[in-house]
Amino acid sequence: MIRSLIFVSLFIHSTLAQKPSQSSPTKWQTLNGEQPLVIARGGFSGLFPESSSFANQIAVSTSLSDMAVSCNLQLTKDGIGLCLPDIRIDNSTTISSIYPKGQSTYKVNGQSVRGWFTVDYTSDQLLSNVTLMQNVYSRSNLFDGQLPISTVEDVTGIKPPKFWLHVQYERFYIERKLSPAAYIDTASKHMSINYISSPEIGFLKLMNSKVNKKKTKLVFQFLGLEDVEPTINHKYKSILQSLDSLVKPYVSGILVPKEYIWPTNNDGYLDEPTTLVDDAHKLGLEVYAYGFANDVPMSYDYNYDPTAEYTQFVDNSKFSVDGVLTDFPPTASEAIACFAHKKNESKPKNGASLIISNNGASGIYPGSSDLAYQRAVEDGADIIDCSVQLSQDGVAFCLPSADLAGDTTAMLPFIDRKTVIPEIQPEEGVFSFDLTWNEIQTLQSQLVSPFGNSSIIRNPANKNKGSFVSLSEFLEFAKAKAVSGILINIENAAYIASNKNLDIVAKVATALTNATFDKQSTQQVLIQSDDTSVLSKFKGIPAYKRVLKIKEKIGDAPKASVDEIKKYAEAVTIPRSSIVKVNDFFTVGFTNVVKEMKAANLSVYVYQFRNEYVSLAFDYFSDPIVEIATYVQSVQADGLITDFPGTASKYMIKDVVDPPLPPLGKVNEPKDVENLPQRGGSRSGLASAANVGLSLVAAILPSLLLTFCS
């Protein structure tokens, strides 16, 4: 049974050779003034089973060079230390199928707990027969049943920069005649343990007399405020008020839920921070925060950008935590190395790809509202867009769709106007060309989630904020703000002309002329449509660049098709799915579409980018910036059309300089991959997982996480 697995030697070597900068011209507001520590909870547990060899190796390879790998210690019947998420191991391993009759019930800190426990098995029984599973069910199960349990020695054997050992149930093990303290005493003679944490004061008091404090820091973990610490029988909220007397004598730091530091109110927005970090720092205690993960709902203030949350904790005007415990260490590293201390940087204009808004900053405010456009400009959009709609009386205005039912409050007051127009959409709606401009202005804009009835909703405080914007107002706004350009999107022109006797093309052309966009060269004008007859109307105007929007997923762009496109357009807009292939929510490679389009001298704009983790492939790490990096560096798209211009702008900040990309490498399978246990009779999921996702990860990570950040 293997204890380490080799992925892509080029990937790992390039990673180790090109770590992000560790220095910053600004002193950190940590206790010692040094950069905050990134602690990988069970390695890269956001993607791989916790504490698996994959999780630990990839965490080390993709994080800051002084990071720490954590292990949650569990002891076997014969006293061997294993790294597993919880004292019950049935939701993180295959033990229930290997030993189906092995359930036990134990008292754990006074509570009856039923499940499978390491104390009922020898190390040989577990290491030889049982494999790991992802214990967060919303994450990929592609690696389930493929990777062996890691011993503590396995984890330290990969030589992580720092090693963090967590001991949560010391009393439970003592009652079973097993001693975590004795195990650590023996283990520390042949391995380096930089941190030991525990929620039990009694255990830390014991370890305080045993460890070399110059080599090992002791850290007290706080659980829920109402939970009871088992050795002194105090609630953690009570201990928090007595740090000086109850905690400080035995430890050098505390590990607290992030909500202890920056609480979130019942509406999902941040409250004012507590004074915990300052209070602890005044006592000489370091403060580490836990609970960070990219793929769980976070405060709406962060707009689904996990780097914004990390930055909030390490770079604000009041304090910095001394470290973050995270399931996604590459993202924490990215935030600390590349985005902290950059708040006053000028907005980038040097990015290889244009940042094009999608109905303004429609992830934050109702699409096409005045506030969405204002935010898009503030967030660094190069191009702002207007999808033009017409009212019944011929007023041209900006709105994501001709159907007002989704993006406004039209459905209730104008329910008698709802209809089905198959030429536009299969669902019934209330359409703009059936209402006068005065009627439309009685409505409110509406911020909607693109994910239906899921729990992933957008900024509810802004749901109905903002005003409608006419096309003429949009054009004047763009001129006043001096953005690099505008994108005008025209759809349904044929239907509107033949059924409503309205000429949307003429309305757009007149508005552009009145705003003198046809006679200037300082701002780009992109005319986009999925209808070639519309684009033909704008032929011969040098100031305009025609863009054909391709709505369908395509996997190839044959020369004949490209030559036909060139008759009508100088650029194309294509969906992401036409460029990066995805299988089982993992990326598997690139199509040739962009290469073929660019070979014909067509610019390629890609839509649409969103921050929400549910829209991202697993190997984008639930981090929208990883996806952006892929399309900027690997795909080399000419423009990204995004609901969140600020996230794209953050990636393309001018101080981030990318090293050359390595060639796409083939993942090397471990030599004894065929001997790994299989689930469900399938061939090696490990082999397919490696080849499915990680070959592309090998290409994109150097372009993002290995940046040099000055």
Side-chain angles (χ1 to χ4, degrees), residues 67-68 99 191 200 247 321 544 602 614 706:
M67 58 85 71
Y99 300 108
M191 68 176 69
E200 299 185 8
V247 175
V321 297
Y544 301 162
L602 287 167
V614 293
L706 311 181

Side-chain angles (χ1 to χ4, degrees), residues 85-327:
D86 186 60
I87 197 168
R88 290 180 298 179
I89 63 173
D90 36 299
N91 75 331
S92 60
T93 74
T94 58
I95 193 164
S96 62
S97 60
I98 303 299
Y99 300 108
K101 297 181 179 180
Q103 275 188 308
S104 300
T105 301
Y106 288 116
K107 286 284 188 181
V108 181
N109 293 340
Q111 302 293 321
S112 290
V113 178
R114 184 165 178 78
W116 281 259
F117 297 79
T118 57
V119 294
D120 292 328
Y121 302 92
T122 66
S123 56
D124 183 65
Q125 286 176 302
L126 295 176
L127 297 174
S128 299
N129 301 302
V130 179
T131 51
L132 294 170
M133 296 171 58
Q134 175 58 258
N135 67 319
V136 178
Y137 299 132
S138 60
R139 295 173 178 170
S140 174
N141 63 359
L142 195 60
F143 301 93
D144 284 6
Q146 308 301 327
L147 299 163
I149 296 172
S150 295
T151 64
V152 174
E153 287 78 4
D154 290 336
V155 180
T156 58
I158 67 169
K159 301 188 182 306
K162 294 177 181 176
F163 179 58
W164 184 301
L165 190 63
H166 184 66
V167 181
Q168 184 159 351
Y169 299 105
E170 193 254 359
R171 170 176 283 189
F172 171 82
Y173 287 112
I174 291 295
E175 291 170 352
R176 315 267 100 67
K177 297 184 169 32
L178 293 166
S179 173
Y183 171 81
I184 293 171
D185 188 47
T186 300
S188 61
K189 291 180 171 59
H190 60 270
M191 68 176 69
S192 177
I193 304 175
N194 304 95
Y195 299 86
I196 298 173
S197 60
S198 177
E200 299 185 8
I201 289 177
F203 172 71
L204 292 170
K205 183 177 180 180
L206 172 64
M207 296 307 300
N208 183 60
S209 63
K210 291 178 173 290
V211 301
N212 182 337
K213 297 181 183 62
K214 293 182 179 179
K215 296 181 179 180
T216 304
K217 293 182 177 181
L218 299 180
V219 179
F220 178 63
Q221 182 195 23
F222 282 83
L223 302 180
L225 289 171
E226 297 298 323
D227 292 333
V228 176
E229 194 281 333
T231 57
I232 65 170
N233 206 33
H234 283 41
K235 289 184 177 181
Y236 285 98
K237 68 177 181 181
S238 173
I239 298 173
L240 194 64
Q241 305 305 314
S242 304
L243 287 176
D244 195 18
S245 58
L246 295 179
V247 175
K248 188 178 184 302
Y250 314 115
V251 301
S252 61
I254 57 176
L255 175 65
V256 302
K258 62 184 181 180
E259 293 80 11
Y260 274 36
I261 298 168
W262 220 303
T264 301
N265 63 31
N266 293 333
D267 295 324
Y269 292 89
L270 294 176
D271 277 333
E272 287 297 309
T274 68
T275 61
L276 173 58
V277 177
D278 280 342
D279 294 343
H281 281 177
K282 289 175 183 177
L283 294 174
L285 291 171
E286 294 177 321
V287 180
Y288 304 94
Y290 71 90
F292 292 92
N294 297 2
D295 58 352
V296 296
M298 56 187 71
S299 169
Y300 294 117
D301 297 89
Y302 303 128
N303 295 307
Y304 294 97
D305 176 0
T307 63
E309 181 177 40
Y310 292 112
T311 305
Q312 183 90 340
F313 279 79
V314 303
D315 179 27
N316 61 75
S317 60
K318 299 178 181 179
F319 62 83
S320 171
V321 297
D322 299 279
V324 292
L325 180 68
T326 174
D327 295 8

Side-chain angles (χ1 to χ4, degrees), residues 596-660:
E596 291 161 343
M597 294 287 188
K598 286 196 165 192
N601 202 31
L602 287 167
S603 299
V604 179
Y605 308 127
V606 185
Y607 73 96
Q608 81 203 65
F609 290 84
R610 295 165 170 155
N611 283 6
E612 290 91 343
Y613 56 88
V614 293
S615 71
L616 303 172
F618 282 130
D619 47 339
Y620 288 138
F621 309 160
S622 300
D623 180 350
I625 290 179
V626 176
E627 182 181 45
I628 289 167
T630 305
Y631 283 86
V632 171
Q633 297 297 328
S634 298
V635 174
Q636 297 186 339
D638 295 293
L640 309 182
I641 300 174
T642 173
D643 296 6
F644 297 89
T647 303
S649 176
K650 179 188 290 187
Y651 171 70
M652 288 187 275
I653 191 167
K654 62 186 179 182
D655 279 352
V656 176
V657 181
D658 298 297

